[in-house]
Amino acid sequence: MSYQGYKELLVEQQGKLLVAKFNNPKKKNCINRFAYQEMTRVLTEVNDDEGVTILVFTGVGDIFTAGNDLSQSSKSDDIDAFFKQSNATFKAMVLSFVNCRKIVLALVNGPAIGIGATIVGLCDVAWCSETAYFYTPFTKLGLVPEGGSSYMLPLILGRSKASEVLLLNEPLSAQEAYQFNFVSRIFKASELESLIWPKLRQYSELPTNSLLQGKRLIKEGFVENLIKANEAECKQLLQQFQHPEFFQAIMDFASRKNKAKL
């Protein structure tokens, strides 16, 4: 299969590995709605590619992704329609993680913020660099947990730590992420070419049917609850978009951005 036409992601097949890189370095690899659509596309297309066993998400440069591009809404003439369309696009992206039959691995090469952090919880395997941290400032923005995180993070981290991260805006360091089983390996940047990528290529050569059936069995225990969480989160997010707290947060963000340019 030829993975052509991607603009927001760099998509490259390396043997049985498919690598998708967040590619917006001027904005710290922020994700706009077109990038969400491309994430959905690659997660869907790879299902039909018998030549790929593992899909790897990582970022260009030294950052994974700074999350949602908050500047998008200012470019819309119909803000209500924009939020509804964006919400539907986002919901489909999360479902594409849920429905992906191939092994999905997050190779977190630096800071992972907002959706950058929560999609890690949607992946089958997550490794991070020493410089990585995970930060979900949802309540600072007048929002709620998303990306299935209201279900997956308490499941992975435990309720107390998950609430610190999702509600109280406490960042999760690389060491804490490892301690709380959010990632299963911490790597040094110098190890990427000598150790990490060779290890991933080795994994990709494991028997395909065994990998896929094993993943299916592991998911069966929680996938229904994850789908319900995504549904509930997206429904609540639409309501939050109309709340004064969110509008104030967006104005504060724009003000800080303008001051930074001075």
Side-chain angles (χ1 to χ4, degrees):
M1 182 176 290
S2 178
Y3 296 92
Q4 301 295 324
Y6 287 88
K7 296 180 179 179
E8 303 297 327
L9 300 177
L10 283 179
V11 179
E12 179 186 7
Q13 186 170 348
Q14 302 176 9
K16 292 187 177 181
L17 284 181
L18 185 65
V19 181
K21 294 183 178 181
F22 298 112
N23 184 33
N24 189 6
K26 291 183 179 179
K27 288 192 172 183
K28 298 182 179 180
N29 289 341
C30 274
I31 305 173
N32 58 34
R33 59 177 174 165
F34 303 109
Y36 287 129
Q37 291 169 348
E38 290 191 2
M39 292 168 70
T40 301
R41 179 187 162 193
V42 73
L43 284 157
T44 303
E45 285 185 343
V46 75
N47 279 332
D48 297 322
D49 190 345
E50 294 182 359
V52 171
T53 55
I54 298 177
L55 170 59
V56 180
F57 278 99
T58 191
V60 169
D62 57 3
I63 187 167
F64 187 60
T65 168
N68 194 41
D69 184 352
L70 294 176
S71 68
Q72 297 175 95
S73 58
S74 64
K75 302 174 184 177
S76 175
D77 295 327
D78 188 337
I79 196 67
D80 288 337
F82 171 81
F83 283 137
K84 287 180 180 178
Q85 181 183 15
S86 297
N87 190 264
T89 300
F90 184 86
K91 183 179 178 181
M93 181 274 295
V94 175
L95 281 174
S96 68
F97 271 94
V98 177
N99 294 326
C100 186
R101 296 191 298 273
K102 302 303 173 76
I103 307 302
V104 183
L105 188 142
L107 192 64
V108 185
N109 58 308
I113 299 171
I115 185 62
T118 56
I119 62 171
V120 174
L122 295 172
C123 293
D124 302 299
V125 180
W127 296 353
C128 77
S129 73
E130 293 178 317
T131 61
Y133 64 85
F134 305 86
Y135 180 47
T136 56
F138 299 135
T139 55
K140 277 189 176 181
L141 295 171
L143 298 175
V144 294
E146 36 81 321
S149 61
S150 63
Y151 177 71
M152 291 304 297
L153 263 66
L155 183 68
I156 298 168
L157 305 178
R159 181 178 174 183
S160 180
K161 192 62 177 178
S163 295
E164 272 192 13
V165 171
L166 293 173
L167 305 180
L168 305 182
N169 307 290
E170 284 291 336
L172 196 69
S173 69
Q175 287 295 334
E176 285 180 309
Y178 181 76
Q179 177 186 348
F180 283 90
N181 298 315
F182 196 54
V183 302
S184 54
R185 184 187 294 250
I186 298 175
F187 59 86
K188 298 177 180 178
S190 61
E191 295 175 331
L192 272 171
E193 297 303 325
S194 62
L195 178 63
I196 301 303
W197 287 113
K199 178 69 73 173
L200 295 180
R201 285 190 283 270
Q202 178 185 342
Y203 290 154
S204 73
E205 295 294 338
L206 290 167
T208 302
N209 182 63
S210 179
L211 281 175
L212 304 190
Q213 294 304 323
K215 170 171 176 167
R216 179 184 61 80
L217 291 170
I218 289 172
K219 282 174 53 182
E220 278 189 358
F222 62 82
V223 68
E224 184 176 342
N225 287 332
L226 177 54
I227 291 171
K228 288 180 180 178
N230 183 41
E231 185 76 31
E233 289 167 356
C234 288
K235 182 178 180 181
Q236 187 61 45
L237 277 169
L238 271 180
Q239 296 181 35
Q240 297 302 121
F241 291 147
Q242 305 299 324
H243 198 282
E245 289 178 349
F246 174 70
F247 287 108
Q248 185 62 50
I250 292 298
M251 286 190 290
D252 290 345
F253 172 80
S255 177
R256 290 194 300 272
K257 189 174 181 181
N258 289 333
K259 286 180 181 178
K261 291 180 179 180
L262 298 177

